[in-house]
Amino acid sequence: MELGERSVMDSNIPADRLSQISTMWTGLARRDDVQADESRAAAAAFLDRYYQAVYGYLLRSVKDPDRAAELFQEFALRFLKGDFRHADPGRGRFRDYLRTVLINLVRRSSSKPVNVALAAEPEVLPEEPVDGEFLTHWREAILNVAWQALQQEQNRGGPPYYSVLRLRAEKPDLTSVELAVQLTANLKAIEAYTDANVRKILQRGREVFSDKVVDEVARSIPTRDEDRVAQELIDLGFLGFCRKALDRWRVQ
């Protein structure tokens, strides 16, 4: 199965827990003691895209949903209040900075209360084996954002890229004819899709999906550095699927 046909992130986090986390950060973003400016809006947008990756990593680290939720609340509040505003994109990827902040938070929480002050500058980055676990959550978050963008565009009346790619992911053995029949039924289309329609939608859908993955990876790197974006795609295992999308991004 190709990368672009994988299902939406399955982090093994119950839906009710994710809903609780989403509600938590939304409430924190609206607190009166959090300065209402462009930086807070940017921070809130970041958490909107990546809170599952942050909470998922914390949950894997402490093995306790309630404790992970407490740590997430501490992280989210300090993030929104600007405690990490001194992160320097020139020193490396924000993903690395964020990973280190979370690792430090987990380490300190093992011996200190959750509300221990977090330093604006994190400690030395951990060794690579630790990065692997966070990388998995980050990779899933990038894919999830791309899937959500496809779904939102379809819901606004755009082409059914989301539906056909999800259908292909869930039923990889279906022929294009069978996909056309299933897609017609799923979308309750007035005019039936043909196998030729489906093949074109699949091809274009994969292109659009890979474009969104590259856009999201580029967004996570504060500077428009083509080499850094390419390296991030390599590190995340996306370059094979996104090579042409990267070329399209470069000429934007």
Side-chain angles (χ1 to χ4, degrees), residues 80-98:
L80 290 168
K81 291 178 70 174
D83 283 16
F84 313 125
R85 62 185 177 277
H86 299 300
D88 181 2
R91 295 177 55 189
R93 296 165 301 201
F94 186 75
R95 167 169 63 81
D96 290 333
Y97 186 91
L98 175 62

Side-chain angles (χ1 to χ4, degrees), residues 53 111 151 162 185 219 244:
S111 58
Q151 186 176 31
Y162 174 82
R219 186 179 288 110
K244 292 182 179 179

Side-chain angles (χ1 to χ4, degrees), residues 230-249:
Q231 186 60 53
E232 183 74 344
L233 289 169
I234 292 172
D235 293 345
L236 293 170
F238 292 162
L239 185 61
F241 174 73
C242 293
R243 195 178 301 275
K244 292 182 179 179
L246 178 60
D247 291 339
R248 290 191 291 269
W249 176 83

